[in-house]
Amino acid sequence: MAYFGLSTPVIAKLDTAKNTYSEGLVLSKLIGTNITPQYAEGSLYCDNALGYHEKVFKEGDISLETDSVPLKAGELLFGHTVDDTSTHSEISKTDDTPNYVGYGFIGTERLSDGTQKFIACWLPKCQFVENGEDIKT
């Protein structure tokens, strides 16, 4: 199997108390995304042999790259203030708190028999942080 397509990055604000989503939007055109899960695991040996082994999802790192980021995404993802009236600007402060969001996308997979299938991936509770800027001439 080979992955060859990726599209439609979607985010929606998560209300953790009600476990519901609101203010969903498509971010932009998706260039790439990477999901790296981390696990907590442990083993218990009994009578000179492995008795139990447990591997549980702990957390994960997500990175995504889009061709642009809508102003509304700064508000949903990072808690910034968006002036949507005349200046169309984003105001970020040091005390802005990132929101929990759901994040999803669609992937395309080519199977060994030549057929393709679409895979919808939804990560129900994520919290993104802004990365640094890489500006070149």
Side-chain angles (χ1 to χ4, degrees):
M1 80 180 141
Y3 296 102
F4 68 91
L6 193 60
S7 66
T8 322
V10 176
I11 59 168
K13 188 174 182 179
L14 172 63
D15 181 338
T16 55
K18 296 178 183 176
N19 201 26
T20 59
Y21 298 99
S22 62
E23 303 177 52
L25 65 94
V26 176
L27 280 175
S28 189
K29 294 180 180 178
L30 189 56
I31 296 169
T33 192
N34 185 23
I35 302 167
T36 308
Q38 298 171 19
Y39 299 94
E41 58 184 310
S43 300
L44 176 66
Y45 288 87
C46 317
D47 287 339
N48 297 321
L50 178 62
Y52 305 98
H53 181 79
E54 192 72 32
K55 186 174 185 177
V56 179
F57 174 77
K58 181 174 69 169
E59 61 185 31
D61 292 324
I62 304 167
S63 64
L64 65 116
E65 183 179 0
T66 60
D67 67 342
S68 66
V69 178
L71 281 177
K72 182 69 176 168
E75 184 178 23
L76 284 178
L77 292 171
F78 311 118
H80 299 328
T81 304
V82 174
D83 177 7
D84 217 2
T85 56
S86 59
T87 60
H88 299 289
S89 60
E90 178 182 88
I91 302 163
S92 58
K93 300 177 187 165
T94 55
D95 61 344
D96 287 349
T97 305
N99 294 303
Y100 283 110
V101 297
Y103 166 60
F105 57 90
I106 299 170
T108 309
E109 180 181 19
R110 172 97 46 210
L111 303 177
S112 58
D113 65 0
T115 60
Q116 72 181 25
K117 67 178 181 177
F118 296 94
I119 301 165
C121 180
W122 182 253
L123 304 169
K125 185 178 180 184
C126 307
Q127 193 172 46
F128 287 89
V129 295
E130 295 177 272
N131 61 348
E133 294 290 332
D134 184 15
I135 302 170
K136 297 177 183 172
T137 184

